[in-house]
């Protein structure tokens, strides 16, 4: 999963990026690595994987990972190439979802690029640039479909009509993700890789004093209402506090510090939970003496396709899956006890994977 962190300059975007990408759970092959100066990979915390690792003592433990991209601060005119506009927009296209950081605190010592704190205005500035970029893409798509129709290919008639309707929607300043809920239309639109079609998590960056009572912040209330209106998510985070937490290396010291602050989870945990929910993702687990590993899949994925995440041969030659729910395995203590109680199931090609399934795939190619 790849998340792009966006926002106007000086809203706390890079502070948050630096904090969360230094807060990853340690792991031999992924703890935290910098791919480029503005890209970080963090391990997804998973107590289930930790338990399996303690139980099996494998040679390697591999968590699921999220790639965060700190995208250059946007300015007005980005869709026309102002500032780092073109790079900004191309970077967003490669992400699965957008984390939109919005400043919701007042501080005269931290300059706001627009001169004042107004989260809805700030969101509109970025969204307008994304909409304008999408308009250009939709216009090209309409032109392409109309040319195909002239060549006698009638299947493009609905595409041309649909994108014309979407163009009108965008010209009204509305986002592509608020255009339609029709599955067939969405399938067509999603082939165009539109920026405003991407699911979004708004991160309301609050002051340290307000993080435990975000509802008292009027700016947060406005962002929350907007997110509800467009089907997005919003989470309150204090980027400054996250940076302070990230500086603590000792887990016990970090836990004590968070307890003193009244925080029961870090900003990274909030982001991961929200992004999994927003994108409809779950994790299944594989375990043994060689490796214990968490795999991320879409909710609703069937067993053969889940097996294909491990290797294409697993999907091609799928026979069956031996499955046990993590909680059952934990309660039983050993696989032998679980089998004796009939909790290890044999599932076929139509089995829909569940979050926390521990699986052994049987295949033959």
């Amino acid at each position: 999963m790849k998340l792009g962190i966006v926002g106007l300059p000086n809203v706390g975007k890079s502070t948050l990026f630096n904090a969360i990408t230094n807060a990853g759970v340690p792991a031999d092959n992924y703890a935290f690595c910098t791919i480029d100066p503005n890209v970080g990979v963090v391990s997804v915390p998973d107590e289930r994987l930790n338990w399996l690792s303690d139980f099996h003592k494998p040679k390697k433990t591999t968590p699921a990972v999220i790639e965060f991209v700190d995208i250059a601060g946007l300015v007005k005119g980005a869709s026309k190439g102002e500032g780092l506009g073109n790079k900004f927009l191309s970077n967003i296209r490669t992400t699965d979802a957008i984390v939109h950081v919005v400043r919701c605190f007042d501080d005269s010592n931290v300059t706001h690029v627009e001169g004042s704190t107004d989260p809805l205005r700030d969101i509109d500035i970025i969204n307008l640039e994304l909409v304008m970029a999408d308009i250009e893409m939709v216009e090209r798509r309409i032109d392409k479909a109309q040319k195909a129709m002239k060549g006698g290919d009638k299947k493009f008639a609905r595409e041309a009509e649909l994108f014309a309707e979407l163009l009108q929607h965008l010209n009204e300043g509305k986002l592509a993700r608020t255009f339609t809920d029709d599955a067939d239309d969405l399938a067509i639109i999603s082939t165009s890789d539109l920026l405003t079609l991407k699911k979004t998590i708004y991160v309301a960056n609050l002051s340290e004093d307000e993080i435990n009572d975000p509802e008292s912040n009027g700016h947060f209330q406005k962002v929350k209402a907007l997110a509800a209106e467009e089907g997005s998510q919003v989470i309150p985070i204090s980027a400054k506090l996250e940076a302070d937490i990230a500086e603590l290396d000792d887990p016990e010291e970090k836990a004590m510090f968070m307890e003193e602050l009244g925080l029961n989870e870090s900003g990274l945990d909030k982001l991961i939970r929200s992004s999994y929910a927003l994108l409809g993702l779950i994790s299944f687990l594989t375990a043994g003496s060689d490796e214990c590993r968490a795999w991320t899949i879409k909710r609703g994925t069937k067993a053969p396709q889940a097996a294909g995440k491990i290797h294409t041969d697993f999907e091609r030659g799928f026979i069956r899956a031996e499955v046990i729910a993590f909680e059952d395995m934990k309660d039983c203590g050993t696989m032998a006890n679980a089998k004796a109680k009939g909790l290890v199931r044999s599932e076929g090609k139509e089995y829909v994977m569940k979050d926390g399934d521990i699986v052994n795939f049987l295949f033959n190619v």
Side-chain angles (χ1 to χ4, degrees):
M1 177 162 50
K2 188 174 184 180
L3 302 177
I5 303 179
V6 307
L8 291 173
N10 292 345
V11 296
K13 180 173 56 67
S14 293
T15 301
L16 179 64
F17 171 81
N18 290 333
I20 61 179
T21 53
N22 277 312
V25 174
D28 289 342
N29 49 344
Y30 282 121
F32 164 70
C33 62
T34 300
I35 299 172
D36 322 297
N38 63 337
V39 179
V41 175
V42 296
S43 307
V44 174
D46 193 331
E47 290 301 320
R48 302 168 302 190
L49 182 64
N50 295 343
W51 188 91
L52 288 171
S53 185
D54 288 341
F55 179 79
H56 287 281
K57 303 291 190 295
K59 297 173 185 174
K60 184 166 68 169
T61 298
T62 308
V65 297
I66 295 181
E67 184 175 328
F68 286 98
V69 184
D70 181 21
I71 295 169
L74 185 64
V75 294
K76 288 179 182 177
S79 59
K80 303 299 180 184
E82 291 295 325
L84 293 173
N86 291 330
K87 182 183 179 186
F88 172 93
L89 297 171
S90 65
N91 284 339
I92 296 177
R93 291 194 198 284
T94 66
T95 63
D96 298 304
I98 294 171
V99 176
H100 189 157
V101 182
V102 188
R103 177 168 163 173
C104 291
F105 65 88
D106 295 304
D107 188 341
S108 58
N109 295 318
V110 181
T111 304
H112 192 292
V113 69
E114 291 295 318
S116 62
T117 303
D118 184 342
L120 297 188
R121 176 205 58 210
D122 295 353
I123 289 171
D124 279 344
I125 289 173
I126 286 188
N127 283 347
L128 180 59
E129 296 304 327
L130 302 185
V131 165
M132 290 173 69
D134 280 352
I135 285 173
E136 290 185 18
M137 183 169 281
V138 168
E139 287 174 341
R140 289 198 298 269
R141 190 63 179 264
I142 293 170
D143 185 57
K144 184 179 178 182
Q146 288 175 339
K147 287 178 179 176
M149 286 170 57
K150 288 179 182 177
D153 195 338
K154 299 300 182 184
K155 72 179 182 180
F156 286 98
R158 175 54 188 155
E159 184 173 311
E161 179 186 17
L162 179 63
F163 277 100
E165 292 170 2
L166 176 57
L167 180 61
Q168 182 177 347
H169 181 82
L170 293 170
N171 277 326
E172 292 171 1
K174 299 175 182 176
L175 311 176
R177 61 178 176 270
T178 64
F179 175 59
T180 181
D181 291 324
D182 184 274
D184 292 335
D185 287 348
L186 278 173
I188 296 172
I189 293 170
S190 64
T191 62
S192 60
D193 197 24
L194 297 175
L195 299 173
T196 64
L197 195 61
K198 292 185 182 295
K199 293 182 181 294
T200 297
I201 300 170
Y202 291 108
V203 170
N205 187 13
L206 305 176
S207 69
E208 301 98 302
D209 299 332
E210 295 178 308
I211 191 60
N212 287 319
D213 187 18
E215 299 295 339
S216 66
N217 182 299
H219 298 312
F220 175 75
Q221 291 279 15
K222 291 177 183 177
V223 177
K224 184 179 177 181
L226 175 67
E229 185 181 321
E230 63 179 48
S232 297
Q233 293 198 14
V234 59
I235 56 175
I237 285 179
S238 169
K240 174 65 171 62
L241 273 185
E242 294 300 321
D244 292 341
I245 293 168
E247 289 179 1
L248 301 174
D249 295 325
D250 185 273
E252 289 187 12
E253 188 180 356
K254 186 176 292 189
M256 286 176 59
F257 182 56
M258 288 179 62
E259 187 177 346
E260 288 173 9
L261 295 170
L263 301 175
N264 55 15
E265 63 179 339
S266 69
L268 175 62
D269 290 341
K270 286 181 182 177
L271 263 180
I272 289 172
R273 185 163 45 79
S274 291
S275 57
Y276 268 64
L278 188 70
L279 296 173
L281 301 175
I282 60 172
S283 294
F284 72 90
L285 306 153
T286 54
S289 58
D290 284 336
E291 182 181 29
C292 290
R293 182 162 182 166
W295 305 83
T296 302
I297 55 173
K298 282 273 190 183
R299 189 177 297 278
T301 298
K302 293 183 178 180
Q305 287 69 52
K309 288 282 289 185
I310 299 173
H311 197 285
T312 53
D313 284 351
F314 282 34
E315 181 176 359
R316 189 160 55 91
F318 180 88
I319 299 173
R320 67 180 186 276
E322 294 178 342
V323 184
I324 180 171
F326 170 77
E327 291 302 330
D328 289 339
M329 177 64 187
K330 187 178 179 182
D331 290 343
C332 291
T334 67
M335 187 61 76
N337 288 342
K339 286 182 177 179
K341 292 182 178 181
L343 295 172
V344 180
R345 312 183 308 275
S346 181
E347 302 286 1
K349 292 182 178 180
E350 294 304 309
Y351 176 69
V352 177
M353 301 291 292
K354 295 179 176 59
D355 189 43
D357 277 348
I358 303 172
V359 193
N360 177 41
F361 293 109
L362 302 179
F363 70 103
N364 183 36
V365 290

